């Protein structure tokens, strides 16, 4: 597998969704694209850092640890309460300080930040706000179906989240009115 071992060394995701779509998709994509076994793809995907600030609906069976739930599996009345205890609603306080510190560390050290399918809600932007930084960043985001005033507000929230002690760490800033898939197709050259 050689170079595949380091495929996720410089990549992290933050998702405010409870599902495990990223982990599930990436594992299957690796398996199909690189024609490797499911076990190899899952072991590589375990190296991908995916932050779920509001929790998630259990871990996938191959992720190990805690309560696992197969992707697309119906929950029983016995497992549902265990899984429900792993999520926070939008208005509940996220209190996993270690996870938040690690997540913000990734953002602070990132050279490139990409917001896909994101509403730029104030509470979420506060969770993404970094306390320190030393790396200027290229910032990309999708703003599909947002009005011009809302796009400006979203951009301001992003810039505030990347401002530390009066210093803004966003360099190149580009927000485009397309969906996530179209954005990745249009900007792949800039992102790799």
């Amino acid at each position: 597998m050689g170079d595949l071992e380091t495929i996720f060394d410089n990549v992290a995701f933050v998702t405010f969704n409870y599902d495990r779509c990223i982990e599930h998709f990436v594992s299957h994509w690796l398996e199909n694209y690189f024609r490797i076994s499911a076990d190899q793809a899952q072991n590589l995907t375990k190296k991908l850092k995916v932050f779920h600030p509001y929790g998630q609906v259990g871990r996938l069976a191959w992720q190990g640890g805690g309560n696992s739930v197969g992707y697309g599996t119906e929950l029983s009345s016995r497992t549902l309460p265990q899984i429900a205890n792993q999520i926070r609603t939008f208005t509940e306080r996220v209190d996993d300080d270690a996870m938040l510190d690690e997540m913000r560390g990734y953002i602070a050290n990132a050279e490139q930040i990409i917001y896909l399918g994101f509403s730029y809600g104030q509470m979420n932007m506060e969770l993404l706000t970094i306390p320190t930084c030393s790396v200027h960043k290229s910032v990309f985001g999708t703003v599909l179906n947002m009005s011009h005033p809302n796009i400006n507000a979203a951009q301001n929230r992003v810039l505030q989240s990347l401002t530390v002690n009066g210093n803004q760490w966003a360099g190149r800033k580009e927000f485009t009115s397309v969906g996530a898939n179209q954005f990745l197709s249009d900007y792949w050259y800039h992102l790799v």
Side-chain angles (χ1 to χ4, degrees):
M1 285 198 316
D3 292 342
L4 283 179
E5 290 296 325
T6 61
I7 194 168
F8 298 124
D9 282 0
N10 296 311
V11 177
F13 285 87
V14 177
T15 178
F16 293 105
N17 297 331
Y18 305 123
D19 60 45
R20 296 83 36 90
C21 289
I22 294 169
E23 297 92 326
H24 179 76
F25 172 82
V26 167
S27 174
H28 285 277
W29 177 81
L30 287 169
E31 183 180 350
N32 293 318
Y33 189 81
F34 292 107
R35 299 194 186 286
I36 59 177
S37 71
D39 285 343
Q40 289 173 308
Q42 291 164 356
N43 285 330
L44 287 172
T45 306
K46 286 178 185 177
K47 296 178 181 185
L48 176 62
K49 196 66 188 174
V50 181
F51 295 98
H52 292 268
Y54 296 121
Q56 62 191 61
V57 290
R59 299 177 59 76
L60 295 168
W62 54 264
Q63 289 179 300
N67 297 316
S68 66
V69 177
Y71 192 81
T73 301
E74 275 195 45
L75 298 175
S76 70
S77 58
R78 180 181 52 81
T79 57
L80 186 58
Q82 297 167 339
I83 301 307
N85 285 334
Q86 297 178 41
I87 64 173
R88 304 272 182 275
T89 63
F90 182 72
T91 57
E92 289 179 310
R93 183 180 178 283
V94 177
D95 56 3
D96 187 343
D97 291 335
M99 182 272 302
L100 290 174
D101 289 345
E102 183 182 11
M103 179 185 78
R104 290 174 181 145
Y106 271 85
I107 296 167
N109 292 316
E111 295 176 8
Q112 197 161 239
I113 300 174
I114 304 161
Y115 299 90
L116 297 174
F118 188 61
S119 69
Y120 307 95
Q122 186 64 39
M123 289 175 64
N124 291 343
M125 293 309 302
E126 288 171 7
L127 288 174
L128 298 174
T129 298
I130 56 175
T132 63
C133 192
S134 61
V135 179
H136 276 88
K137 299 150 184 352
S138 294
V139 179
F140 298 91
T142 59
V143 288
L144 183 63
N145 296 327
M146 290 179 77
S147 67
H148 187 68
N150 287 334
I151 292 171
N152 288 338
Q155 290 173 338
N156 287 336
R157 286 180 176 172
V158 167
L159 297 179
Q160 283 178 328
S161 75
L162 300 174
T163 301
V164 179
N165 297 326
N167 297 315
Q168 185 201 106
W169 293 96
R172 177 180 179 180
K173 300 170 278 297
E174 196 159 337
F175 292 78
T176 183
S177 187
V178 298
N181 191 47
Q182 186 64 51
F183 172 84
L184 293 171
S185 294
D186 292 348
Y187 284 84
W188 70 266
Y189 187 79
H190 300 283
L191 306 178
V192 294

